[in-house]
Amino acid sequence: VARFQKIPNGENETMIPVLTSKKASELPVSEVASILQADLQNGLNKCEVSHRRAFHGWNEFDISEDEPLWKKYISQFKNPLIMLLLASAVISVLMHQFDDAVSITVAILIVVTVAFVQEYRSEKSLEELSKLVPPECHCVREGKLEHTLARDLVPGDTVCLSVGDRVPADLRLFEAVDLSIDESSLTGETTPCSKVTAPQPAATNGDLASRSNIAFMGTLVRCGKAKGVVIGTGENSEFGEVFKMMQAEEAPKTPLQKSMDLLGKQLSFYSFGIIGIIMLVGWLLGKDILEMFTISVSLAVAAIPEGLPIVVTVTLALGVMRMVKKRAIVKKLPIVETLGCCNVICSDKTGTLTKNEMTVTHIFTSDGLHAEVTGVGYNPFGEVIVDGDVVHGFYNPAVSRIVEAGCVCNDAVIRNNTLMGKPTEGALIALAMKMGLDGLQQDYIRKAEYPFSSEQKWMAVKCVHRTQQDRPEICFMKGAYEQVIKYCTTYQSKGQTLTLTQQQRDVYQQEKARMGSAGLRVLALASGPELGQLTFLGLVGIIDPPRTGVKEAVTTLIASGVSIKMITGDSQETAVAIASRLGLYSKTSQSVSGEEIDAMDVQQLSQIVPKVAVFYRASPRHKMKIIKSLQKNGSVVAMTGDGVNDAVALKAADIGVAMGQTGTDVCKEAADMILVDDDFQTIMSAIEEGKGIYNNIKNFVRFQLSTSIAALTLISLATLMNFPNPLNAMQILWINIIMDGPPAQSLGVEPVDKDVIRKPPRNWKDSILTKNLILKILVSSIIIVCGTLFVFWRELRDNVITPRDTTMTFTCFVFFDMFNALSSRSQTKSVFEIGLCSNKMFCYAVLGSIMGQLLVIYFPPLQKVFQTESLSILGLALGEEWTAAG
C-alpha cells in the first residue's frame, strides 16, 4: 500500500511512510492519517518533526550540481580570439621564438582568469537573487497555529490554506470550504480546479488534474479555505518532477543586455575590419608578418568589448542586492532599467500609503449617540466614552450591539497583542476587548458565512447562540455603508426597532460623509433574522494613519515628473481627505469612482486619466482598465497590489509591485518587485537605485568604448604613418585586462548620486548610446591617442625603437586611461564634486592597476613577459606630466 521505509533507531525500529498522491487520493482521510501517523487536529510535536526531517530532509529542491569550476575555466578558452592567440603562441614555438611564446601564454592566462572570475561573480549574484523570497505557510503543531517557512514542513504536518496562499507541499485535504486552486503551474490548465475531501475511486485518478482531493505543491489558492495533511515534500512532491524540467530554461535577457550584445557584435565587426586593414598595410609595408598577426589578434582581444554583457549583468545584479538592503526585492533584472523610465505610479491606499494599523476611534449608533474611543493598536488598552462617561460591557445597549456585531462577524484573532487576520477586523476585535466583550465570539456557533470580497464590499455570518440553539438563526453583517444599508429594513432606537425611513437614511449618509472627510474609514454594522431583513445598528469610524515619510516621497516624485494615483475601496470623502493630506490631491485634481470607470471604455478613460489623482470605491478589476488607459497614453506604469485579484493587473503593468507583508503568494508570483515592508517610500528608493544603475552602466560603456577606440586608433595611425609599432602584443593584452577588469567593474558600483531622483524619467525608447555619450567617448579617445602618440613621437626622434620607447608609450597610455576612468565616474559632475574617494572600490581598483603597471615595468620576470624596461623617475614624471596635461 504505502511504501514503508525502516530506519534502525536503537532498539525499536520506527516506520516512516511515504504516500504517493495517487494512493492518497483513493484512501479515506482517516486511513491517510493513520498511515502517516498524523494527528489532524493538533499536528505533530516538535520531537516527531525533527525525527521525520532527519529522514525526509527539508521541503525544498536541490539545485542540480553545477559543472565543476575547472570545466568552466577551460570553457573560457573556447573563445575564438583566445584560440587565435594560442595559435600564434604555437607558431612562435615552431619558429623558436620561445620568449614570445611564453609571453603570449602568460598574457592569455591572465586574460582568461579575469574573464572567468567575472562570469563566476555574475552567476553567483544571480543565484543569490533566487533565494530572496522564501515561501511561508501556516501549519498546526502541538495544537497551535504557527507561521513557518515552507521548507520546515514534513509528511504528516497539518497545513491551513487560505485565499492567495501558495500550497507549500503536496496535501491530502480533509477540510475544504468552496476551495478552488489554480494549477496552471503544474498542469497548464488555466481554469481553477475546485477541490473536495471525499476519497476517489482508483479508476478516475490517472492524471494529476483529476485528483480533486489533493492540493499540489506550488499551486495557488484562488478562493476559499482548507486544511490538509502533508503527504509529499520537496523532491517527493509532484512539483519535484516539473522543477527538474524548469531548470533547463534560461532566464530571458533584459533589453539592456540585448542592446549590449548587439553593440558588442557591431563593434567586433568594425574592429575586425580595421584590424584586417592594419594587417594588410603592415604586410605591404614589409613588417614582420608573425608580429603583425600577434599584434592584430591581441588588438582584437583588446578592442572587442566582450566584457560588456557580463559587466551589465554584474552591475544589474549588484544593484538588485543593494535594493534588498533598501527593502525592495526585484525578481526580474529587466525591471531595474524599467524603474528609471517609470512615470506613473498607481498605489493602493491601505497599507502602502497608510500604515494599515487600523484603530476604531469613533462610534455612531443608529439612534444618534456619538462615542469616542481612546488607545491605539491591537490591544485592550483604551476606553469607550459616551458624553464623558466610560461605557463597559452591556452598560449601553446601543453601543454594545454594534461592538457585538463587529466582534462576531469577524475572522481575526488577537493573541498577545499581535494580530492574526485582516487589520480592519483586528480593529473591531480590539474595540470589543476595550469594552470587555471579546468573549462574545465564542458565544455563537457559526452556521454559514458570506466571505468579504473586494467586489461586493461586505461580509456576513449566520449564527446561533450556544445556550439557545433551538432559537432561530441570527445574521450579523459589516461592510461599506452603501452596501449594508441595501439589506436593512429597520433601525434600532432606544431599544425599539423602527422602520427605516428616507429621512433616517439621510442622517446616516451625512454622518458617514462627515466621518469620511475627517479621513476615517467608515464601516456600517447590522443584524437581523436574515439578509434583506436586517436592523441597522450604526457606524464605526476607523483611522488608518498615513505612513511616515510618504508625504516627502510623494512630493519628491511629483517634482521629478512622476505622477501618482491612489486607488482605494474607501468612500470619496475618506479617499480625498487622505490624498490631500499626502499631497497627492490638489485643487485641479479629479477623483473617479469604480462605477464611473465601468461606464467608460479605455479610450474615454485615457483622455481624463492624466488629471485623475484618486480612484475611490474601486476594486482590483478596475486596475486593469486604469493600466490600459495609461499605457495607451504612452506611460510606463508601476502598479501596487496585495490581493488575489490583483495578480492580473500586476502582470499587465510595466512594473508590478507586490506587498511583502500583506501580499498573498499569488500576488508575489505575478509581481516584478516586492516591497518587503509594504512601504511606498521603498518605491522611491527603488526608482532612485534604478536610475543610478543605468547611469553606472553608461559610465562604464563610456570608459570601455573610449579605451577600445583609443587602442585601435593608436595602432592604426602608427601603421598608416609607417611608424614602428608603439605597443607590442603583450602590452595590448595588459591594456585589455585593465579595461575589462577591476577599474571598469568598479564603475558599476559607483554610489547613487543624490540628485538622480530629481531628474525626469527617461524615455524607454532612447538608446543607451546618446549623441552626448558618443561625443564624450570620442573626445576621451582622441585625448588618449594624441597624448600617447606625442610621447611616442618624442621618444622616436632618435629613429631607433627601443624597449624603453614602447615602455614609455605603454605607461603613458595606461595612465591616460586611469584619468579617463576617473572622468567617466559621472556624466554631469566633475570628480571633485562627487568626491575623489566616494567610491572606495574604484580607488582600490585604480591603485591596484597602477601597482600592476609599476610591477610590469620594474619586476624582472614581468619585464621579460611584457618586453618592458625600467624607466628612470624622470621618465615616469615626464609621462605623468603629459597625462596630467591631457
Side-chain angles (χ1 to χ4, degrees), residues 868-881:
T868 54
E869 209 176 75
S870 302
L871 294 179
S872 62
I873 297 299
L874 187 68
L876 257 185
L878 268 174
E880 285 291 341
E881 213 172 287

Side-chain angles (χ1 to χ4, degrees), residues 376-577:
V376 285
Y378 305 115
N379 56 50
F381 311 121
E383 332 184 287
V384 180
I385 300 162
V386 180
D387 299 334
D389 297 331
V390 175
V391 292
H392 203 268
F394 293 100
Y395 175 70
N396 182 321
V399 175
S400 48
R401 274 219 178 83
I402 292 178
V403 175
E404 174 183 46
C407 175
V408 178
C409 181
N410 200 315
D411 286 330
V413 182
I414 292 178
R415 202 184 296 145
N416 322 334
N417 298 348
T418 37
L419 167 71
M420 296 175 86
K422 294 190 181 131
T424 317
E425 298 197 318
L428 293 170
I429 298 274
L431 171 65
M433 287 163 81
K434 287 170 188 171
M435 286 191 54
L437 296 175
D438 47 314
L440 288 176
Q441 238 175 339
Q442 273 66 55
D443 291 354
Y444 287 91
I445 297 169
R446 200 177 279 191
K447 292 290 188 189
E449 154 179 8
Y450 306 89
F452 176 85
S453 83
S454 46
E455 299 293 330
Q456 62 182 28
K457 300 194 173 25
W458 57 266
M459 167 189 173
V461 293
K462 257 189 182 162
C463 318
V464 291
H465 202 281
R466 222 173 256 290
T467 54
Q468 309 156 348
Q469 297 200 17
D470 47 349
R471 286 272 196 82
E473 292 178 348
I474 176 168
C475 275
F476 291 103
M477 181 188 229
K478 70 172 192 311
Y481 169 77
E482 297 89 345
Q483 302 298 330
V484 173
I485 201 78
K486 290 180 192 166
Y487 294 89
C488 296
T489 50
T490 54
Y491 71 100
Q492 195 78 31
S493 174
K494 313 232 176 349
Q496 296 172 311
T497 307
L498 306 177
T499 309
L500 193 57
T501 58
Q502 187 55 45
Q503 183 188 0
Q504 206 54 36
R505 284 170 196 248
D506 293 345
V507 172
Y508 301 147
Q509 178 63 42
Q510 271 174 338
E511 184 56 35
K512 184 211 86 156
R514 196 187 66 78
M515 282 189 190
S517 23
L520 297 178
R521 301 188 75 169
V522 184
L523 276 188
L525 295 131
S527 68
E530 56 189 84
L531 300 182
Q533 296 177 17
L534 298 181
T535 302
F536 186 77
L537 300 174
L539 304 168
V540 292
I542 299 176
I543 190 169
D544 180 15
R547 279 178 179 270
T548 44
V550 166
K551 189 173 182 190
E552 292 76 4
V554 166
T555 316
T556 311
L557 283 169
I558 290 178
S560 78
V562 179
S563 66
I564 298 172
K565 318 222 173 274
M566 180 170 108
I567 300 176
T568 175
D570 286 344
S571 66
Q572 186 177 13
E573 300 88 6
T574 310
V576 170

Side-chain angles (χ1 to χ4, degrees), residues 190-445:
T190 46
T191 46
C193 175
S194 56
K195 296 285 181 184
V196 292
T197 55
Q200 260 186 312
T204 60
N205 68 355
D207 63 334
L208 295 182
S210 61
R211 294 174 200 162
S212 61
N213 51 16
I214 305 281
F216 295 107
M217 176 168 188
T219 56
L220 300 164
V221 181
R222 282 283 171 200
C223 77
K225 50 185 184 183
K227 284 184 182 170
V229 59
V230 177
I231 54 173
T233 57
E235 307 275 332
N236 289 328
S237 66
E238 300 289 346
F239 195 69
E241 297 306 309
V242 180
F243 184 78
K244 290 175 189 126
M245 296 182 327
M246 271 169 38
Q247 278 186 318
E249 282 188 38
E250 287 271 306
K253 290 201 162 172
T254 80
L256 195 56
Q257 282 170 314
K258 281 183 192 151
S259 65
M260 286 294 117
D261 284 350
L262 185 68
L263 184 68
K265 284 198 182 97
Q266 288 169 340
L267 286 168
S268 315
F269 181 71
Y270 295 134
S271 308
F272 273 128
I274 295 170
I275 290 162
I277 295 169
I278 292 178
M279 259 191 88
L280 195 68
V281 173
W283 179 62
L284 291 175
L285 292 172
K287 295 194 178 182
D288 175 34
I289 189 76
L290 180 66
E291 189 196 349
M292 284 310 295
F293 175 74
T294 318
I295 283 189
S296 301
V297 176
S298 314
L299 250 186
V301 173
I304 292 167
E306 72 283 352
L308 271 184
I310 292 182
V311 180
V312 169
T313 310
V314 170
T315 309
L316 287 174
L318 287 175
V320 169
M321 298 315 271
R322 275 213 302 269
M323 284 188 194
V324 174
K325 293 197 180 87
K326 292 187 173 171
R327 324 286 290 151
I329 294 175
V330 174
K331 285 173 52 189
K332 307 186 178 91
L333 284 185
I335 291 307
V336 177
E337 38 190 293
T338 319
L339 278 166
C341 309
C342 166
N343 52 10
V344 178
I345 300 173
C346 299
S347 173
D348 289 326
K349 181 193 80 125
T350 309
T352 311
L353 296 170
T354 61
K355 282 188 181 161
N356 206 5
E357 287 170 7
M358 309 276 183
T359 309
V360 176
T361 56
H362 200 94
I363 301 173
F364 176 74
T365 67
S366 52
D367 48 9
L369 279 182
H370 286 272
E372 296 298 325
V373 185
T374 62
V376 285
Y378 305 115
N379 56 50
F381 311 121
E383 332 184 287
V384 180
I385 300 162
V386 180
D387 299 334
D389 297 331
V390 175
V391 292
H392 203 268
F394 293 100
Y395 175 70
N396 182 321
V399 175
S400 48
R401 274 219 178 83
I402 292 178
V403 175
E404 174 183 46
C407 175
V408 178
C409 181
N410 200 315
D411 286 330
V413 182
I414 292 178
R415 202 184 296 145
N416 322 334
N417 298 348
T418 37
L419 167 71
M420 296 175 86
K422 294 190 181 131
T424 317
E425 298 197 318
L428 293 170
I429 298 274
L431 171 65
M433 287 163 81
K434 287 170 188 171
M435 286 191 54
L437 296 175
D438 47 314
L440 288 176
Q441 238 175 339
Q442 273 66 55
D443 291 354
Y444 287 91
I445 297 169

Side-chain angles (χ1 to χ4, degrees), residues 664-676:
T664 53
D665 294 337
V666 177
C667 220
K668 291 179 191 170
E669 293 273 310
D672 304 303
M673 180 170 126
I674 298 171
L675 303 184
V676 179

Side-chain angles (χ1 to χ4, degrees), residues 837-868:
C837 297
S838 56
N839 181 352
K840 292 214 169 51
M841 275 284 293
F842 181 80
C843 295
Y844 296 141
V846 169
L847 281 173
S849 303
I850 293 173
M851 293 293 292
Q853 182 63 24
L854 295 177
L855 278 174
V856 165
I857 305 174
Y858 294 112
F859 184 54
L862 286 176
Q863 282 182 341
K864 269 218 175 87
V865 172
F866 291 97
Q867 297 162 7
T868 54

Side-chain angles (χ1 to χ4, degrees), residues 267 302-303 703-716 739 774 777-778 781-782 785 813:
L267 286 168
F703 172 65
Q704 278 216 315
L705 294 192
S706 52
T707 310
S708 146
I709 290 171
L712 273 176
T713 316
L714 183 66
I715 305 283
S716 314
M739 181 180 92
I774 293 173
I777 290 173
L778 292 177
S781 36
I782 288 168
V785 171
F813 189 99

